[in-house]
Amino acid sequence: MTTRSRAVVLQKFDQPLEIREYDVPKPREMSAVVRVRYAGVCGTDVHLQAGKLPVPTPVVLGHEAVGQISALGPGLTHDVLGNPLRPGDWVSWLNNIACGRCRFCLVEQQPTLCTGNRKVYGINQSADSWPHLSGGWSDYIYLQPGTVLVRIPEVATPQQVISLGCAGPTAVHGALNEVQVRFGDTVVVQGSGPVGLASAMYAHLAGAAKVIIVGGPTARLDLAKQLGVGHHHLDIFEITDAAERVQLVRQETSRNAGADVVIEATGVPSAVAEAIDYARPDAAISVVGQYTDHGTTPINPHLITRKNLNISGSWGFGARHYIGYIASLPKLLEHFDLGRLVTEYSLTEANSAIEDAKAGSVLKAVLRVGDE
């Protein structure tokens, strides 16, 4: 096995990312070393570089990746679903390890709210601390004991798996578990980034009669149309007035009453108030997009009461959401060409990839590792 690995490191906030090298450790008990092949660039990575989340630096970025097993530690013989593991197998993994002991892990069964020492690959593990390679933007990653490791199903290519990165399981949590889309529903999805499009895809699969995407820029909406994601598309850069957007969306609903389900996946605080206006009485709203704090926004709470709305927050994802995403891939691939979401970059082009993701000029930037 190679003894050194390149890694893309966030050394200082608001500064270009750096390439550093680290020793590749041998896997200890119940651990694995994986040769990374594809690593996704997420909006959270943009926020990390900007210093919007409290994380240790230096840190090897990359909380979504797929690769091939390079070495298995003693005791690690099967993935979480019971499939045998061998060197060379293609695998993916949940990007966090909850403590398994706190109230939210054991009693509430909401490990995304873990108050213990929850480890997140590519986010909160310092590159200065062993095993150093704790992020996916690297040639190799060290997967620690307790990682939810899944062998990739043969029906999906690694590029297809990474195409929705953490957006897929985030959407499973927010668009399927926190709300329930029923056959015949009208669903509004705010946002046309990876989380928004993944949410819209799951709304289709759940039997929604009409899926309305409110987002932009135009190129993203055009791609959604080409992929068959959404029945009606509203460009927020063309329709800039929120009241006009609400009127146009409600015209697409039964008796202009509003949507049965609204999924907010924008990251813009004012979108939450707009979601309330889109919703019919007794509708369900899932707030998925407010992962980082972009500030407060005015909301009329009377509308929540008068409409008898059911509003849920959705923070990240846990093991069941990630496994749900992997299990859904065959059905997703029957309906949508996920590979078309991806724009590839080499590992050494990480700064360009994160800048393009920040600008919204690509839908899903992915680092292709090892083929330079």
Side-chain angles (χ1 to χ4, degrees), residues 9 20 29 40 53 70 101 111 163 181 201 225-226 233 246 281 315 327 332 342 368:
V9 175
R20 294 175 60 179
E29 187 174 3
L53 289 170
S70 177
R101 298 182 299 276
S163 66
V181 178
M201 290 177 192
K225 294 174 187 176
Q226 293 168 22
H233 305 79
V246 170
W315 175 258
L332 283 170
V342 171
R368 184 187 65 255

Short mmCIF file of all heavy atoms in Angstrom, two decimals, residues 9 20 29 40 53 70 101 111 163 181 201 225-226 233 246 281 315 327 332 342 368:
data_model
loop_
_atom_site.label_atom_id
_atom_site.label_comp_id
_atom_site.label_asym_id
_atom_site.label_seq_id
_atom_site.Cartn_x
_atom_site.Cartn_y
_atom_site.Cartn_z
N VAL A 9 -6.23 20.74 2.03
CA VAL A 9 -6.34 21.19 3.42
C VAL A 9 -6.82 22.64 3.48
O VAL A 9 -6.32 23.51 2.76
CB VAL A 9 -4.98 21.07 4.13
CG1 VAL A 9 -5.04 21.64 5.54
CG2 VAL A 9 -4.54 19.60 4.17
N ARG A 20 -1.33 19.19 0.87
CA ARG A 20 -0.31 18.69 1.78
C ARG A 20 -0.23 17.18 1.66
O ARG A 20 -1.10 16.54 1.08
CB ARG A 20 -0.63 19.10 3.23
CG ARG A 20 -0.56 20.61 3.46
CD ARG A 20 -1.01 21.00 4.87
NE ARG A 20 -0.18 20.38 5.90
CZ ARG A 20 -0.36 20.59 7.21
NH1 ARG A 20 -1.34 21.39 7.63
NH2 ARG A 20 0.42 20.00 8.09
N GLU A 29 -8.05 -2.01 14.50
CA GLU A 29 -9.21 -2.87 14.64
C GLU A 29 -10.49 -2.14 14.22
O GLU A 29 -10.72 -0.99 14.60
CB GLU A 29 -9.35 -3.35 16.08
CG GLU A 29 -10.45 -4.38 16.28
CD GLU A 29 -10.46 -4.96 17.69
OE1 GLU A 29 -9.65 -4.51 18.51
OE2 GLU A 29 -11.29 -5.84 17.94
N GLY A 40 -17.14 14.68 -3.44
CA GLY A 40 -18.05 15.76 -3.79
C GLY A 40 -17.68 17.07 -3.12
O GLY A 40 -17.10 17.12 -2.04
N LEU A 53 -18.68 28.09 9.95
CA LEU A 53 -18.91 27.03 10.92
C LEU A 53 -17.66 26.89 11.79
O LEU A 53 -16.54 26.96 11.28
CB LEU A 53 -19.22 25.70 10.22
CG LEU A 53 -20.58 25.59 9.52
CD1 LEU A 53 -20.63 24.32 8.68
CD2 LEU A 53 -21.70 25.59 10.54
N SER A 70 -8.67 -0.19 0.35
CA SER A 70 -7.25 -0.47 0.20
C SER A 70 -6.79 -1.51 1.22
O SER A 70 -6.03 -2.42 0.90
CB SER A 70 -6.42 0.81 0.35
OG SER A 70 -5.04 0.53 0.27
N ARG A 101 -24.33 7.25 22.81
CA ARG A 101 -24.57 7.17 24.25
C ARG A 101 -25.45 8.29 24.79
O ARG A 101 -26.00 8.16 25.88
CB ARG A 101 -23.23 7.20 25.00
CG ARG A 101 -22.30 6.04 24.68
CD ARG A 101 -21.04 6.10 25.49
NE ARG A 101 -20.28 7.33 25.21
CZ ARG A 101 -19.43 7.45 24.20
NH1 ARG A 101 -19.24 6.45 23.37
NH2 ARG A 101 -18.77 8.58 24.00
N PRO A 111 -29.73 10.74 15.95
CA PRO A 111 -28.28 10.90 16.11
C PRO A 111 -27.70 12.14 15.45
O PRO A 111 -26.58 12.54 15.77
CB PRO A 111 -27.71 9.62 15.49
CG PRO A 111 -28.78 9.14 14.55
CD PRO A 111 -30.07 9.51 15.20
N SER A 163 -23.00 11.72 -7.27
CA SER A 163 -23.70 12.83 -7.93
C SER A 163 -24.63 13.57 -6.98
O SER A 163 -24.84 14.78 -7.11
CB SER A 163 -24.50 12.31 -9.13
OG SER A 163 -25.54 11.45 -8.71
N VAL A 181 -44.90 12.74 1.60
CA VAL A 181 -45.50 13.03 0.29
C VAL A 181 -46.40 11.86 -0.07
O VAL A 181 -45.98 10.69 -0.06
CB VAL A 181 -44.43 13.22 -0.79
CG1 VAL A 181 -45.08 13.46 -2.15
CG2 VAL A 181 -43.51 14.39 -0.43
N MET A 201 -36.78 14.89 -6.82
CA MET A 201 -36.75 13.53 -7.33
C MET A 201 -37.51 12.59 -6.40
O MET A 201 -38.30 11.74 -6.86
CB MET A 201 -35.30 13.05 -7.47
CG MET A 201 -34.52 13.73 -8.58
SD MET A 201 -32.79 13.14 -8.60
CE MET A 201 -32.04 14.34 -9.70
N LYS A 225 -35.31 20.37 -16.13
CA LYS A 225 -36.31 20.05 -17.16
C LYS A 225 -35.84 18.90 -18.05
O LYS A 225 -36.59 17.98 -18.36
CB LYS A 225 -36.60 21.28 -18.01
CG LYS A 225 -37.28 22.42 -17.27
CD LYS A 225 -37.38 23.66 -18.17
CE LYS A 225 -37.90 24.87 -17.43
NZ LYS A 225 -37.91 26.09 -18.28
N GLN A 226 -34.57 18.96 -18.47
CA GLN A 226 -34.02 17.93 -19.34
C GLN A 226 -34.02 16.56 -18.66
O GLN A 226 -34.22 15.53 -19.31
CB GLN A 226 -32.61 18.30 -19.77
CG GLN A 226 -32.53 19.53 -20.66
CD GLN A 226 -31.11 20.04 -20.81
OE1 GLN A 226 -30.15 19.30 -20.62
NE2 GLN A 226 -30.97 21.33 -21.16
N HIS A 233 -41.51 24.98 -13.44
CA HIS A 233 -40.27 25.58 -12.95
C HIS A 233 -40.40 27.10 -12.95
O HIS A 233 -40.80 27.68 -13.96
CB HIS A 233 -39.09 25.16 -13.82
CG HIS A 233 -38.94 23.67 -13.94
ND1 HIS A 233 -39.73 22.92 -14.80
CD2 HIS A 233 -38.12 22.79 -13.31
CE1 HIS A 233 -39.38 21.65 -14.69
NE2 HIS A 233 -38.42 21.54 -13.79
N VAL A 246 -45.56 33.79 -5.31
CA VAL A 246 -46.60 33.08 -4.56
C VAL A 246 -47.86 32.96 -5.40
O VAL A 246 -48.47 31.89 -5.48
CB VAL A 246 -46.89 33.81 -3.23
CG1 VAL A 246 -48.14 33.22 -2.56
CG2 VAL A 246 -45.69 33.70 -2.29
N PRO A 281 -53.90 25.22 3.74
CA PRO A 281 -54.21 24.89 5.13
C PRO A 281 -53.94 23.41 5.42
O PRO A 281 -54.21 22.53 4.60
CB PRO A 281 -55.70 25.22 5.25
CG PRO A 281 -55.92 26.29 4.23
CD PRO A 281 -55.02 25.92 3.08
N TRP A 315 -32.07 18.48 10.23
CA TRP A 315 -30.65 18.78 10.41
C TRP A 315 -29.81 17.58 9.93
O TRP A 315 -29.78 16.53 10.56
CB TRP A 315 -30.35 19.07 11.87
CG TRP A 315 -28.92 19.28 12.20
CD1 TRP A 315 -28.08 18.38 12.80
CD2 TRP A 315 -28.14 20.46 11.98
NE1 TRP A 315 -26.83 18.92 12.95
CE2 TRP A 315 -26.83 20.20 12.46
CE3 TRP A 315 -28.40 21.70 11.41
CZ2 TRP A 315 -25.81 21.13 12.38
CZ3 TRP A 315 -27.39 22.64 11.34
CH2 TRP A 315 -26.11 22.36 11.83
N ALA A 327 -30.19 2.60 -0.83
CA ALA A 327 -31.22 1.65 -1.25
C ALA A 327 -32.09 2.22 -2.37
O ALA A 327 -32.65 1.46 -3.18
CB ALA A 327 -32.08 1.27 -0.05
N LEU A 332 -33.96 5.59 -8.39
CA LEU A 332 -33.58 6.91 -8.90
C LEU A 332 -33.01 6.79 -10.31
O LEU A 332 -33.34 7.58 -11.21
CB LEU A 332 -32.55 7.56 -7.98
CG LEU A 332 -33.04 8.16 -6.67
CD1 LEU A 332 -31.86 8.54 -5.79
CD2 LEU A 332 -33.92 9.40 -6.92
N VAL A 342 -23.06 16.08 -12.71
CA VAL A 342 -21.67 16.18 -12.26
C VAL A 342 -20.79 16.94 -13.23
O VAL A 342 -20.86 16.75 -14.44
CB VAL A 342 -21.10 14.76 -12.03
CG1 VAL A 342 -19.59 14.80 -11.77
CG2 VAL A 342 -21.82 14.07 -10.88
N ARG A 368 -12.20 14.28 -9.04
CA ARG A 368 -11.81 12.96 -9.52
C ARG A 368 -10.38 12.73 -9.04
O ARG A 368 -9.45 13.41 -9.45
CB ARG A 368 -11.90 12.91 -11.04
CG ARG A 368 -11.59 11.55 -11.66
CD ARG A 368 -11.54 11.64 -13.18
NE ARG A 368 -10.44 12.49 -13.62
CZ ARG A 368 -10.57 13.73 -14.08
NH1 ARG A 368 -11.76 14.30 -14.15
NH2 ARG A 368 -9.51 14.44 -14.47
#
